[in-house]
């Protein structure tokens, strides 16, 4: 996620990661988290190895300074990589998994070049002027400032990075970047494990894998088949029967997408086996956009989606979560259980 993360403790607690203060934005990958401060510095903690933390001097249990990153204003994370926009251009670090995830100069050799990334971050000129970035499973996408289509770099699993002509040898790497048709004028991006979405003119346009409803489509939609879909690599507008306009997309790394509507409510689509899309049951063919997530006071300022849990921040600064709670990740004081929680509950913060 970026800006808002669903956390694991049973109750929300005040914590300090390496005495990190003045944080303005955070981003969560599969097993690592990064943050940027008001000074424009980047710090990471979590999984050690493959350059994921962008430094070699600190362990993963405390925040370590990412090398060669200064003047950072934006940060996003994928599965094993992170990118930041800085005053001198974009820089990325981490594992160049399956080729070209973070830098087009590295080509398709994932592991040998990745060893160099353990020492420092590297410049990623393809993302320099982007008005927004999004990190997915093994890919990164950027929205150009001139309104031209979104550019994605990385491995094309399920059509997340453009259409393919062959699939027999597995996902194809695109270190050179691929233009995603139908994303002209995008102002915000969101990326999951094998899908991505762009906010265009108040509507979400999504592409990539839609096997569990990430494209807000039914099982009979030809775009759902991740292997043979004729719509691979081409964004399609999310179908909202009510014609509502969206103001922002969720941030996070998973199989569920959420958005804030102009009336301040939240709607979600995609995986819902744990209630993370705001409605009960595992039937992702249900048009989840028909009804907003219940239990959240409007207006909502921000929403984030993780693997099985989603959270929203209200304009009053209160946080509400829904979905899985097997590890207490709802933070509402509920006893961990294996049930689905499609209605939001408020995160319990301790007294100052």
């Amino acid at each position: 996620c970026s800006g808002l993360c669903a956390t694991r403790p049973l109750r929300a607690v005040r914590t300090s990661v390496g005495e990190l203060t003045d944080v303005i934005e955070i981003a969560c990958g599969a097993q690592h988290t990064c943050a940027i401060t008001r000074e424009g510095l980047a710090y990471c903690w979590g999984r050690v190895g493959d350059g994921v933390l962008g430094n070699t001097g600190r362990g993963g249990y405390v925040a370590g300074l990412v090398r060669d990153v200064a003047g950072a204003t934006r940060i996003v994370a994928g599965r094993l990589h992170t990118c930041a926009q800085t005053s001198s251009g974009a820089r990325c670090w981490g594992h160049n998994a399956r080729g070209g995830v973070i830098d087009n100069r590295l080509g398709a050799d994932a592991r040998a070049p990745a060893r160099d990334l353990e020492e420092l971050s590297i410049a990623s000129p393809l993302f320099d002027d982007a008005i927004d970035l999004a990190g997915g499973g093994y890919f990164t996408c950027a929205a150009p400032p001139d309104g031209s289509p979104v550019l994605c770099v990385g491995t094309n699993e399920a059509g997340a990075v453009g259409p393919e002509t062959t699939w027999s040898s597995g996902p194809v790497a695109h270190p050179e970047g691929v233009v995603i048709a139908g994303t002209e004028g995008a102002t915000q991006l969101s990326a999951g494990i094998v899908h991505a979405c762009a906010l265009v003119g108040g509507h979400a346009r999504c592409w990539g894998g839609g096997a569990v409803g990430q494209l807000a489509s039914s099982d009979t939609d030809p775009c759902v088949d991740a292997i043979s879909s004729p719509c691979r690599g081409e964004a399609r507008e999310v179908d909202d029967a009510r014609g509502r306009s969206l103001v922002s997309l969720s941030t996070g790394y998973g199989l569920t997408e959420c958005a804030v509507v102009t009336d301040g409510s939240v709607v979600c689509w995609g995986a819902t086996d744990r209630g993370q899309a705001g409605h009960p049951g595992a039937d992702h063919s249900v048009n989840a956009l028909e009804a907003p997530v219940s239990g959240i006071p409007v207006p909502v300022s921000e929403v984030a989606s993780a693997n099985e849990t989603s959270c929203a921040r209200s304009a009053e600064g209160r946080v509400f979560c829904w979905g899985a709670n097997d590890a207490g990740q709802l933070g509402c004081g509920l006893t961990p259980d294996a049930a689905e929680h499609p209605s939001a509950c408020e995160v319990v913060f301790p007294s100052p």
Side-chain angles (χ1 to χ4, degrees):
C1 65
S2 176
L4 180 68
C5 281
T7 52
R8 292 185 62 86
L10 178 61
R11 287 178 180 265
V13 296
R14 295 181 183 272
T15 61
S16 174
V17 184
E19 298 181 352
L20 186 58
T21 60
D22 293 327
V23 171
I24 61 172
E25 192 170 37
I26 58 177
C28 305
Q31 294 178 315
H32 76 286
T33 303
C34 296
I36 55 175
T37 66
R38 295 187 189 280
E39 295 180 287
L41 301 177
Y43 294 84
C44 292
W45 59 96
R47 183 185 188 275
V48 177
D50 293 322
V52 173
L53 303 185
N55 66 80
T56 57
R58 303 295 296 272
Y61 298 112
V62 294
L65 180 67
V66 178
R67 298 177 58 179
D68 298 323
V69 172
T73 57
R74 178 88 169 92
I75 192 165
V76 299
R79 181 177 177 83
L80 297 173
H81 70 283
T82 306
C83 292
Q85 287 178 304
T86 76
S87 55
S88 58
R91 299 193 70 84
C92 298
W93 58 95
H95 186 29
N96 199 45
R98 306 185 187 178
V101 173
I102 63 175
D103 185 70
N104 62 311
R105 295 170 301 176
L106 298 183
D109 185 355
R111 294 192 176 276
R115 286 197 294 268
D116 298 333
L117 304 186
E118 296 185 16
E119 298 298 329
L120 73 172
S121 62
I122 59 175
S124 299
L126 284 179
F127 307 145
D128 277 354
D129 299 321
I131 61 173
D132 197 21
L133 295 174
Y138 294 108
F139 64 96
T140 306
C141 295
D146 61 0
S148 56
V150 169
L151 180 72
C152 293
V153 174
T155 302
N156 192 28
E157 289 189 279
V161 185
E164 295 295 354
T165 55
T166 62
W167 188 263
S168 59
S169 59
V172 178
H174 286 285
E176 75 287 354
V178 174
V179 169
I180 305 299
T183 58
E184 294 82 356
T187 56
Q188 185 190 0
L189 300 178
S190 175
I193 298 175
V194 293
H195 82 283
C197 295
L199 186 63
V200 181
H203 299 279
R205 295 183 180 179
C206 302
W207 64 96
V212 291
Q214 305 99 301
L215 308 184
S217 54
S218 67
D219 286 335
T220 59
D221 194 302
C223 292
V224 169
D225 188 342
I227 303 299
S228 61
S229 169
C231 303
R232 303 185 83 228
E234 181 176 351
R236 59 192 304 273
E237 191 165 302
V238 169
D239 182 18
D240 180 5
R242 297 189 181 185
R244 291 166 293 193
S245 181
L246 309 179
V247 295
S248 66
L249 299 176
S250 62
T251 57
Y253 173 79
L255 296 172
T256 303
E257 194 74 33
C258 294
V260 178
V261 186
T262 51
D263 64 7
S265 63
V266 173
V267 293
C268 301
W269 61 94
T272 186
D273 54 305
R274 305 300 301 276
Q276 64 267 45
H279 58 82
D283 183 8
H284 57 262
S285 66
V286 174
N287 187 351
L289 278 73
E290 281 296 314
V293 179
S294 62
I296 310 174
V298 297
V300 166
S301 297
E302 186 178 17
V303 62
S305 304
N307 279 336
E308 295 181 330
T309 305
S310 301
C311 294
R313 176 172 60 86
S314 73
E316 299 174 334
R318 300 158 65 189
V319 178
F320 298 80
C321 296
W322 60 98
N325 192 48
D326 54 309
Q329 57 266 56
L330 293 184
C332 304
L334 301 175
T335 301
D337 57 51
E340 58 184 52
H341 297 270
S343 296
C345 60
E346 185 169 3
V347 174
V348 180
F349 287 92
S351 300

